[in-house]
Amino acid sequence: MPNPISSINNSSVGVVSAQQAFFDEPLTLKSGAVLGQYELAYETYGTLNAQRNNAVLVCHALNASHHVAGYYADKPEEVGWWDNMIGPGKPLDTSRFFVLGVNNLGGCHGSTGPQSINPRTGLPWGGDFPLMTVEDWVNAQARLADRLGIECFAAVMGGSLGGMQCLQWSLSYPQRTLHALVIACAPNLSAQNIAFNEVARQAILTDPDFNEGNYDAHGVKPRRGLRVARMVGHITYLSDDEMANKFGRHLKQEKENYNFDADFEIESYLRYQGDKFARYFDANTYLRITKALDYFDPALAYGGNLALALAPARAAFLVISFSTDWRFAPERSRQIVQALLKNNRDVTYAEIDAPHGHDAFLLEDARYHLLVSAYFERIDRQISP
Amino acid sequence: MPNPISSINNSSVGVVSAQQAFFDEPLTLKSGAVLGQYELAYETYGTLNAQRNNAVLVCHALNASHHVAGYYADKPEEVGWWDNMIGPGKPLDTSRFFVLGVNNLGGCHGSTGPQSINPRTGLPWGGDFPLMTVEDWVNAQARLADRLGIECFAAVMGGSLGGMQCLQWSLSYPQRTLHALVIACAPNLSAQNIAFNEVARQAILTDPDFNEGNYDAHGVKPRRGLRVARMVGHITYLSDDEMANKFGRHLKQEKENYNFDADFEIESYLRYQGDKFARYFDANTYLRITKALDYFDPALAYGGNLALALAPARAAFLVISFSTDWRFAPERSRQIVQALLKNNRDVTYAEIDAPHGHDAFLLEDARYHLLVSAYFERIDRQISP
């Protein structure tokens, strides 16, 4: 396994590079659609040990990717999205664990997705790319694990939508999931969560440049819709208090403009975030990821009984929530914990009193990181010979 | 004063009709712009007594109008937006009080607004219509009160943005405001509130049919943007719990579609609300109303000290909030109450434990209506000879 570490300091995995894995065994999706062949982009950090039992899969959420830690030699500013969590001596310590990050199918960062060529037509998939589910992603990740010779993950770890993948790993592959770290997550989306996703989707779907998802063939991008979608999403990532602390009612200039330029700093911030996102992210991918979020609901097949749904799980769990997360409130994490306890699972639960809202799972917080660190030490002791 | 009551039952004011008042005395707006002439659409219910001291001004919020109670002879289905609150024997009893509803300046229901003809050009104002503030609305309402011979309102009453107008009445015209009923309100918008307004505005402003507000001249309407704006607004009017109770994760069909049709009932509901709104409401008005909300901040001129800002008020206050209102949470109402108490104002405060979120102020709730009813009985005793 190549281990592209060339640290500049002992807390970064240093220079990393992405790899590609090609699969030509067809993958049947939950929708019934079949992907005849596909590629997955991934990165690894650390070394798979001789027992092949120290692998940790890190699952990404909405707009992230396989680039979890370190940086690229030609783009040193592009630091992995969970670099504060993963590296030598960090909570997920790459000197002990072999870390795997995968860009999910349908993504826009290197794995097969709507921007890829549809081998049947020789043109980009665009709007024809099938809808994905969390279960589909997990199945694709499992095939990559097969390829890498990983029979059982020491841990599967993720926040938000990444946490849903961890839950699904414990259900789809109970024997391959020793621990699941389910962070800032929920057992399914609430009506309000779906509502926000639907607003984002409608902004994109009704952008005149959307062209039923085949915008690339028309030489345009539905950037206006994607921009609004990101703006509304962004509001739900921050807590009300965090927004008040960061922006409050601060005016950009001394006086009100009395026009539709940005009067308040919060307006500029959202516009900036929306513009930035609309430049690099693919609208078709965004639509599909929000749908995967909406569809995730392991309890659905069990009449809404989450405890029944989680019965197949064999993993031990670390569940973490953040007090000011109103997107996936602590109450939602407690539902997961209670359902696991009903199944006599080994569960550690922590509710971190952090002011940052949903985004807290991505931020550096001493208590949060100490907790994850201690949990991985426990895993390390368990898997060490 | 015409009193267009023709009740079909004793709890409705019955058939009503709108009236127009034309003003040619220029109105200088807070922005510095001057409206040379303008019309206000209004309705009245009940009879102004001989002492002219039983008038109640009802101020409307975002998408409502002067049509507060009763119905139109030719459109019996168009019942006033606060008909459950106002009528003979209702909490605001039109057999005792003379009720006035006014469509605010810049509106799209009959008062001068962006769809009106700009006398300088002979064309619709469109994007050139000036931005309005709560202070401007109150000043225009005061001129209408002059016209109707109302020197002092027994009460000024409103919810949400309507509540802001009540607060402003107590500051701009302390001697003309005997009581102010400030419901589901806040002393200003939070960063999160502004953020949601900004998303709504950007959806409209970036709609290719917007044409800098001059869409009517181009024979189009920015309906896509207005639709998304309404959808995002609607989420903030309902509580998370209310959405869960009303819609939960109910699928429209038995199975997921695996496309972008509405899978969940909440999606259909939002699309329906968005479509309906985009058909009848004017985008330029919507933009201006959200800006008036953002700008309202009586404490700004007092270094953020709300108690100082409210010092000029002479009214007695009834302040009401609703426990599950996350748009204008009870905490925001308590800030108003505390600032008023610091000024030794006569304040009654109630926090109603209602599940409906911000929309609760429009709904029938026995405790809420009894409270308002009792408060108006007190006013009635006070003004009776």
Side-chain angles (χ1 to χ4, degrees):
Chain A
M1 213 41 49
N3 178 9
I5 293 183
S6 147
S7 330
I8 41 163
N9 66 58
N10 70 354
S11 68
S12 169
V13 300
V15 172
V16 299
S17 56
Q19 301 171 69
Q20 295 285 129
F22 176 77
F23 298 84
D24 57 7
E25 187 195 341
L27 183 71
T28 302
L29 306 175
K30 197 178 176 190
S31 66
V34 178
L35 266 185
Q37 53 185 47
Y38 56 93
E39 277 190 277
L40 291 176
Y42 68 100
E43 289 181 13
T44 69
Y45 326 118
T47 308
L48 189 61
N49 64 15
Q51 302 83 2
R52 298 181 167 271
N53 71 356
N54 69 332
V56 175
L57 173 65
V58 177
C59 302
H60 70 78
L62 215 150
N63 64 320
S65 73
H66 53 292
H67 185 35
V68 181
Y71 55 91
Y72 297 133
D74 56 340
K75 287 181 191 160
E77 73 289 357
E78 272 196 24
V79 176
W81 59 270
W82 222 352
D83 193 74
N84 62 29
M85 180 67 88
I86 296 160
K90 287 187 177 169
L92 174 44
D93 188 343
T94 49
S95 61
R96 303 197 239 175
F97 290 97
F98 175 69
V99 175
L100 169 63
V102 189
N103 184 213
N104 284 327
L105 268 182
C108 55
H109 287 99
S111 291
T112 298
Q115 294 181 308
S116 309
I117 298 299
N118 179 350
R120 230 164 25 90
T121 63
L123 297 168
W125 280 95
D128 293 334
F129 196 83
L131 265 69
M132 314 294 307
T133 64
V134 169
E135 292 93 319
D136 300 331
W137 287 335
V138 165
N139 288 336
Q141 290 159 356
R143 288 193 181 172
L144 180 61
D146 294 342
R147 181 76 55 90
L148 299 177
I150 300 162
E151 202 172 304
C152 176
F153 281 106
V156 181
M157 176 184 191
S160 191
L161 177 56
M164 291 176 171
Q165 293 163 60
C166 301
L167 261 187
Q168 191 58 48
W169 260 94
S170 76
L171 302 177
S172 297
Y173 300 99
Q175 309 299 340
R176 303 184 73 173
T177 315
L178 193 63
H179 289 267
L181 282 70
V182 178
I183 305 173
C185 190
N188 61 25
L189 293 200
S190 69
Q192 192 189 64
N193 293 147
I194 296 172
F196 279 119
N197 279 347
E198 172 65 1
V199 170
R201 279 192 297 267
Q202 289 300 316
I204 295 169
L205 294 167
T206 63
D207 184 322
D209 286 335
F210 182 65
N211 292 299
E212 299 190 330
N214 302 314
Y215 39 83
D216 284 326
H218 288 76
V220 290
K221 296 272 186 193
R223 289 221 171 90
R224 287 170 292 233
L226 193 54
R227 177 174 179 268
V228 168
R230 179 59 167 179
M231 288 173 77
V232 71
H234 216 90
I235 299 176
T236 69
Y237 307 148
L238 300 182
S239 69
D240 195 10
D241 282 353
E242 179 71 358
M243 271 208 181
N245 292 337
K246 254 179 141 163
F247 305 103
R249 294 182 50 85
H250 302 145
L251 288 164
K252 288 196 67 194
Q253 274 101 31
E254 248 177 69
K255 287 191 74 72
E256 298 91 343
N257 296 318
Y258 293 108
N259 59 35
F260 300 110
D261 294 342
D263 276 299
F264 296 93
E265 285 178 9
I266 178 66
E267 296 175 286
S268 300
Y269 173 77
L270 286 178
R271 291 180 190 188
Y272 172 80
Q273 293 291 343
D275 287 334
K276 193 173 77 170
F277 188 71
R279 274 196 299 271
Y280 82 84
F281 209 83
D282 180 55
N284 280 319
T285 291
Y286 195 86
L287 289 173
R288 281 158 181 76
I289 292 181
T290 63
K291 270 300 192 186
L293 273 162
D294 288 6
Y295 284 149
F296 182 72
D297 189 11
L300 181 64
Y302 298 87
N305 187 326
L306 187 62
L308 267 183
L310 300 190
R314 289 294 161 267
F317 287 81
L318 174 61
V319 180
I320 302 177
S321 70
F322 299 91
S323 54
T324 56
D325 183 352
W326 62 279
R327 185 182 173 92
F328 293 153
E331 191 203 340
R332 306 306 318 277
S333 282
R334 277 184 242 124
Q335 292 170 356
I336 298 171
V337 170
Q338 280 151 10
L340 290 169
L341 290 176
K342 280 192 187 148
N343 286 296
N344 295 313
R345 288 295 90 210
D346 176 340
V347 189
T348 304
Y349 174 59
E351 196 170 311
I352 312 242
D353 181 19
H356 314 98
H358 188 60
D359 262 0
F361 88 87
L362 293 167
L363 303 177
E364 218 165 324
D365 176 290
R367 295 158 305 171
Y368 169 40
H369 277 197
L370 274 171
L371 178 69
V372 174
S373 193
Y375 197 84
F376 272 113
E377 273 172 37
R378 169 186 159 183
I379 300 177
D380 191 31
R381 282 195 302 275
Q382 187 183 352
I383 63 173
S384 293
Chain B
M1 211 46 43
N3 178 10
I5 292 184
S6 145
S7 330
I8 41 164
N9 67 57
N10 70 354
S11 69
S12 169
V13 299
V15 172
V16 299
S17 55
Q19 301 171 68
Q20 295 286 128
F22 176 77
F23 298 84
D24 56 7
E25 187 195 343
L27 183 71
T28 302
L29 306 175
K30 197 179 175 190
S31 65
V34 177
L35 268 184
Q37 53 185 47
Y38 56 92
E39 276 190 278
L40 292 176
Y42 68 99
E43 290 182 12
T44 69
Y45 326 119
T47 307
L48 189 60
N49 64 15
Q51 300 83 1
R52 298 182 169 271
N53 70 357
N54 70 332
V56 175
L57 173 66
V58 177
C59 302
H60 71 77
L62 215 150
N63 63 321
S65 73
H66 54 291
H67 185 34
V68 181
Y71 55 90
Y72 297 133
D74 57 340
K75 288 181 189 161
E77 73 287 358
E78 272 196 27
V79 175
W81 58 271
W82 221 351
D83 193 74
N84 62 28
M85 180 67 87
I86 296 160
K90 288 188 177 168
L92 172 45
D93 189 343
T94 50
S95 60
R96 303 197 241 174
F97 291 95
F98 175 69
V99 175
L100 169 64
V102 189
N103 185 214
N104 284 327
L105 267 183
C108 55
H109 288 100
S111 292
T112 298
Q115 294 181 308
S116 308
I117 298 300
N118 179 350
R120 229 164 24 94
T121 63
L123 297 168
W125 280 96
D128 292 333
F129 196 82
L131 266 70
M132 314 293 307
T133 64
V134 169
E135 292 92 320
D136 300 331
W137 287 335
V138 165
N139 288 335
Q141 290 159 357
R143 287 194 182 171
L144 179 61
D146 294 343
R147 180 78 55 90
L148 299 178
I150 301 161
E151 201 172 306
C152 176
F153 281 107
V156 180
M157 176 184 191
S160 192
L161 177 56
M164 291 175 172
Q165 292 162 60
C166 301
L167 261 187
Q168 192 58 47
W169 260 95
S170 76
L171 302 177
S172 297
Y173 300 99
Q175 309 299 341
R176 304 184 72 173
T177 315
L178 193 62
H179 289 267
L181 282 71
V182 178
I183 305 173
C185 190
N188 61 25
L189 294 199
S190 69
Q192 193 189 64
N193 294 147
I194 296 173
F196 279 120
N197 279 347
E198 173 65 2
V199 170
R201 279 192 296 267
Q202 289 300 316
I204 295 169
L205 294 168
T206 63
D207 184 322
D209 287 334
F210 182 66
N211 291 299
E212 301 190 327
N214 302 313
Y215 38 84
D216 283 327
H218 288 75
V220 290
K221 296 272 186 194
R223 288 220 172 91
R224 288 170 293 233
L226 192 54
R227 176 174 179 267
V228 168
R230 179 60 167 180
M231 289 174 76
V232 70
H234 217 90
I235 299 176
T236 69
Y237 307 148
L238 300 181
S239 69
D240 195 10
D241 282 354
E242 178 72 357
M243 271 208 181
N245 291 338
K246 252 179 142 163
F247 305 103
R249 294 183 49 86
H250 302 145
L251 288 165
K252 288 198 66 194
Q253 274 99 33
E254 248 176 70
K255 286 190 76 70
E256 297 91 343
N257 297 318
Y258 292 108
N259 59 34
F260 300 110
D261 295 343
D263 276 299
F264 296 93
E265 286 177 8
I266 178 67
E267 296 174 286
S268 300
Y269 173 76
L270 285 178
R271 291 180 190 187
Y272 172 79
Q273 294 291 343
D275 287 335
K276 194 174 77 170
F277 189 71
R279 274 196 299 272
Y280 81 85
F281 209 82
D282 181 54
N284 280 320
T285 290
Y286 195 85
L287 289 173
R288 279 158 182 76
I289 293 181
T290 63
K291 270 300 192 185
L293 273 161
D294 288 6
Y295 285 149
F296 182 72
D297 189 10
L300 182 63
Y302 298 87
N305 187 325
L306 186 62
L308 267 183
L310 300 189
R314 291 293 163 267
F317 287 81
L318 173 61
V319 179
I320 302 178
S321 70
F322 299 92
S323 54
T324 57
D325 183 351
W326 62 280
R327 187 182 171 91
F328 293 153
E331 191 203 340
R332 307 305 318 277
S333 281
R334 277 184 242 124
Q335 292 170 357
I336 298 172
V337 170
Q338 280 151 10
L340 290 169
L341 290 177
K342 279 193 188 147
N343 286 296
N344 296 312
R345 288 295 92 211
D346 176 340
V347 188
T348 305
Y349 175 59
E351 196 171 311
I352 311 243
D353 182 18
H356 314 98
H358 188 60
D359 262 0
F361 88 87
L362 293 167
L363 303 176
E364 218 166 323
D365 177 289
R367 296 158 304 172
Y368 169 40
H369 277 197
L370 274 172
L371 178 69
V372 174
S373 191
Y375 198 85
F376 271 113
E377 273 173 37
R378 170 187 157 183
I379 300 178
D380 190 31
R381 282 195 302 275
Q382 186 183 352
I383 63 173
S384 293

